[in-house]
Every structure is written in C-alpha cells, then in structure tokens.
Amino acid sequence: MQHNNILTDTARQIGDELCLSALWHKDACTWVTRQAEGASEQFISLKGDWYTGTSGISVFLAALYKQTGNAIYRHTARGALVQATGSADDFDRQGRYGLHTGVYGVPFAYLHCGRLLDDEALVARGLELADRYADNAEKTTETDIIGGLAGILKVLLLAYQISGEERFLVHSRQLGGKLLARATRHEQDNLLSWRTVEKQVQDLTGLAHGVSGIGAIFSELYAHDDNPEWKEAAEKAIAYENRSYSKEQNNWIDYRYLEKKEEWKPGSMMAWCHGAPGIGLTRVHLARNLQTDKYSNDLNTAVSSTKQHLQYTLQSKNGNFSLCHGMLGNAELLVYAAEVLEDDGLLQDARSIATGIVHIVRQNDLPWLSGFNNGKETAGFMLGNAGIGYQLLRTADPATFPGLLI
C-alpha cells in the first residue's frame, strides 16, 4: 500500500504540472515542449499524435480524473482531445494513419478517455473516427505497430471489443489480409517476417518495428475472429524471431544497423521498442490470446533479462524513465505478465522498481528524464511525462488502468 501511495501521489504531481503548463485556445489545449535533441533542439507546439502529442496526454489526464475525481484533469483531458481531433484531418491529408504517428492515435485516445471518464459521447466519437478513416487507412504501405497496419488494426479491434459492431471486425479482417499479403514468406522454413524499414538487409525483430509486434496483433485478431490463418501468422512470425535469439546476450538480435553482413557484429537492445522487454510483452499477449503456454520459455527469458537490466539501471542511475526505451516501459513487462499469469511477485517487483525511480528523482532533485538523448523533460506519452505518470498509476492499480503498450 505504501508503494501505491507514493506512485499515485507522484502521478498527481506530474499531472498538476501538465495542467498548469497547458496552453489554451477556446476549448482546445496543447503544450509547448522539447521535440528535438542536441544542437538542433527546439520548442514546438504539440500536435495530436499518440507518441509525442496530445492524444497520449489526454489519456493520462483522464486516468488521473478516474483516480482522484478532480475535474481539472477531466477538463484538460477534453481540451487535449479537441487539439488531437484537429490534427486527424491533417494526418489524413498527409497519408499518416498509424497508431503512434498519425490518425489512429486519435480514436485510440477517445476510446480510452471515454471509458476512463465514463463518457459515452467520447466513446461514440472514437468509434466514428475509427470508422471514418478505415478505407483510407487500408492504403497504408507501412506494416509495423508504430506507423503501419498492425497499429491501425489494434485500434479497430479495440473499437470492435468496445462496441461489438460488425463493421469494425470487417475492417479488421480486411487489414489483417493486407498485412498478411505484405509478409516475406520464408518457404524453406515456413516462417513469416515483414520489411518494416526500407533498405533493411534483414527483417527486424522486436515489438515497435519488428515481427513480434505484428505477430502479437495477429494473435489479438485471432482472439476476436476464430480464423486459423491469423493464429498461423502469429506463430510463424514468432518462429522467425526466435531464430535470432542469442544465448550469449540473453536477448534477441537487433538488426536495425545491419547494412553489410560481413562487417556487422550482432547486438541487442533492452527496451519496449527493441529487445527483450517488448518481446516479452508480445509473448504475454500470445499466451493470453492463443491460450497457450507454448512461449513460456521465451517469456521466462525476457522477464529474467529485463529484471536484471532494471536492477542494474536503477542501481547505477544510468537510464531514462520513458515508456519507449526507458525503465518504466521495460517494467510494464512485469506488470502485464503479473496480470496474465496471476503472479503477484512480478507486480511487487514492478512496484519496487517504480518506487525506486521516484526516490531517485526526489532525492537527487532530478527532472523526469525523457527518452530524448539529452534526457530533458518533455510532455508526451511515449517519451515523456504523460507516459511516466500513466505508468505509475497503472503499476499501482493495474486492474483499473489498462496496459497501453501492446
């Protein structure tokens, strides 16, 4: 209970600062925040995307309202949604439909805010937006979770789960078929992968841009639409990824920097976006959606290496706190695994990590170190304070606040 009080109190402090720093125009609000790094650092007004913009911030503030009942959080969450809505048509014109980087972060935010605020009008608006752009979204050429078909499919499945409306399942099947058609088929080994980055020599592993993120979404599609083709796609994607597991590194190889195979040395990352923490999340998702323990060895490996890395980073004070490639994003693996496996020990581990982060910040008078290379604070969800605050709330009370990273 003491852990939980520390985490929720800290989340409220972060939320208070966001509400105080919001810039309003009529019924919309945004934030001026750091967006670039190093010598090119600049301050910009946030748009409406999920990754760095007001869509993600709105959900954190809605969660704070649910936790506290403070109407200021609800008011500011609504203002952030209005700002996000104004960006959706801009993203549409630009051909940007992805969950994290385009149109579909907006209905994703509306659906979650509507549930957190118990507001059916917001849910209805989220459903309307998800349906409005679905035909255009099918033209998306990217395939990954961040900016591609897999992330869009995630939002359409959420719309179907909430509404039960057949139109969203139809859209989901269509996107699933397009995603499957764009796979690289390794006929000799009966595997699937996706070319998510242009000019990449080898298709990537990992959650954000790699095969396990796409495989996890196929498992979610299978859970809603009992078509063995979706299950097979998920399993073949994971089998492709597991060819790249390194016993020496206790992790999966990251191929992003592979240009010429003869000059490349295998390496790996420890983050939500690439490496064991995110890959572990996908294995939990498959266990949940496919009702299988087939991936328990993968999951045990990912949990073990993630816990070890978190303890090292906490003790060395050498890391940021963000969701994308920071400590709290890594610790979500422990929270989600605790939920699905009903393992309270993992949840207590996650709470100890999160409490340790809060103590480091307070005792050393630190900012909330962001996912930018320079670590300077930023407002957005995946790199900055909104995501940090939300994850503190979720770690304290995962039954109330759903995971938003898979």
Side-chain angles (χ1 to χ4, degrees):
M1 185 63 69
Q2 183 179 6
H3 282 321
N4 294 357
N5 290 339
I6 291 170
L7 301 183
T8 54
D9 288 348
T10 305
R12 286 197 293 270
Q13 292 168 10
I14 294 172
D16 290 345
E17 291 172 3
L18 282 171
C19 290
L20 286 170
S21 59
L23 299 176
W24 288 85
H25 177 68
K26 296 182 179 179
D27 57 349
C29 70
T30 188
W31 286 262
V32 171
T33 189
R34 292 178 178 88
Q35 189 73 1
E37 305 181 12
S40 62
E41 179 178 298
Q42 55 185 311
F43 289 84
I44 67 164
S45 173
L46 293 184
K47 303 300 181 184
D49 63 280
W50 177 263
Y51 193 87
T52 60
T54 63
S55 287
I57 296 171
S58 72
V59 174
F60 167 49
L61 296 175
L64 274 176
Y65 171 76
K66 185 171 185 66
Q67 204 269 333
T68 66
N70 187 332
I72 293 174
Y73 298 136
R74 179 178 59 192
H75 177 66
T76 312
R78 289 179 181 276
L81 280 176
V82 173
Q83 171 73 3
T85 308
S87 295
D89 284 340
D90 292 336
F91 293 146
D92 183 32
R93 284 188 291 270
Q94 296 162 7
R96 294 168 53 192
Y97 296 98
L99 165 56
H100 284 266
T101 59
V103 167
Y104 271 84
V106 181
F108 193 64
Y110 265 98
L111 294 172
H112 280 294
C113 282
R115 297 172 97 180
L116 290 165
L117 299 177
D118 195 23
D119 187 327
E120 289 301 319
L122 293 182
V123 172
R125 188 63 191 280
L127 296 175
E128 186 270 324
L129 290 169
D131 185 55
R132 180 197 301 179
Y133 297 105
D135 289 340
N136 286 348
E138 289 185 20
K139 302 171 188 175
T140 299
T141 58
E142 297 175 71
T143 54
D144 63 11
I145 291 281
I146 294 291
L149 292 171
I152 299 167
L153 182 52
K154 171 74 179 177
V155 182
L156 291 170
L157 288 171
L158 176 63
Y160 176 66
Q161 176 190 339
I162 290 173
S163 70
E165 295 180 17
E166 187 71 14
R167 57 180 168 152
F168 294 112
L169 186 57
V170 170
H171 286 316
S172 297
R173 288 171 180 149
Q174 291 170 342
L175 256 66
K178 289 184 180 295
L179 189 55
L180 194 54
R182 291 179 186 167
T184 302
R185 297 180 181 273
H186 306 264
E187 302 294 352
Q188 183 176 354
D189 301 313
N190 199 26
L191 308 176
L192 293 178
S193 63
W194 284 262
R195 184 57 47 93
T196 57
V197 178
E198 272 190 60
K199 300 180 181 179
Q200 192 70 45
V201 174
Q202 184 157 332
D203 293 347
L204 300 182
T205 62
L207 194 162
H209 298 289
V211 294
S212 59
I214 297 171
I217 297 304
F218 270 118
S219 80
E220 192 169 334
L221 179 56
Y222 175 74
H224 291 290
D225 181 40
D226 191 17
N227 181 342
E229 190 173 28
W230 310 137
K231 180 181 180 182
E232 185 178 88
E235 292 174 337
K236 288 181 177 180
I238 301 309
Y240 168 86
E241 182 169 71
N242 277 345
R243 293 194 312 177
S244 298
Y245 176 70
S246 167
K247 289 184 179 179
E248 292 75 19
Q249 298 185 47
N250 205 27
N251 202 344
W252 286 258
I253 301 301
D254 180 356
Y255 293 110
R256 281 177 297 162
Y257 307 111
L258 170 57
E259 295 178 359
K260 296 180 179 179
K261 291 185 179 180
E262 64 272 14
E263 298 176 2
W264 178 77
K265 294 181 180 180
S268 57
M269 188 175 178
M270 288 292 293
W272 168 82
C273 51
H274 297 276
I279 288 171
L281 283 173
T282 70
R283 302 311 193 260
V284 180
H285 214 52
L286 266 75
R288 179 182 186 179
N289 292 323
L290 303 184
Q291 294 294 298
T292 180
D293 61 0
K294 180 178 180 179
Y295 303 104
S296 58
N297 287 341
D298 291 359
L299 178 55
N300 291 337
T301 294
V303 167
S304 174
S305 59
T306 299
K307 285 173 64 175
Q308 184 177 6
H309 186 264
L310 281 167
Q311 290 292 346
Y312 169 78
T313 308
L314 192 66
Q315 291 168 9
S316 65
K317 303 183 178 72
N318 184 28
N320 75 79
F321 311 132
S322 74
L323 298 187
C324 182
H325 42 268
M327 295 177 69
L328 285 168
N330 289 358
E332 168 61 10
L333 170 57
L334 308 184
V335 180
Y336 190 31
E339 281 187 293
V340 174
L341 303 179
E342 299 180 350
D343 185 337
D344 189 61
L346 288 177
L347 181 57
Q348 296 310 316
D349 289 340
R351 287 172 174 165
S352 294
I353 292 292
T355 303
I357 291 170
V358 172
H359 287 324
I360 287 173
V361 170
R362 291 180 176 179
Q363 292 169 4
N364 297 279
D365 195 24
L366 291 175
W368 290 102
L369 300 176
S370 74
F372 288 135
N373 288 339
N374 57 24
K376 292 183 179 179
E377 285 195 20
T378 189
F381 196 83
M382 292 303 296
L383 295 180
N385 289 8
I388 291 168
Y390 184 87
Q391 198 61 29
L392 294 177
L393 288 177
R394 169 161 164 74
T395 304
D397 187 2
T400 301
F401 303 109
L404 298 175
L405 296 184
I406 184 65

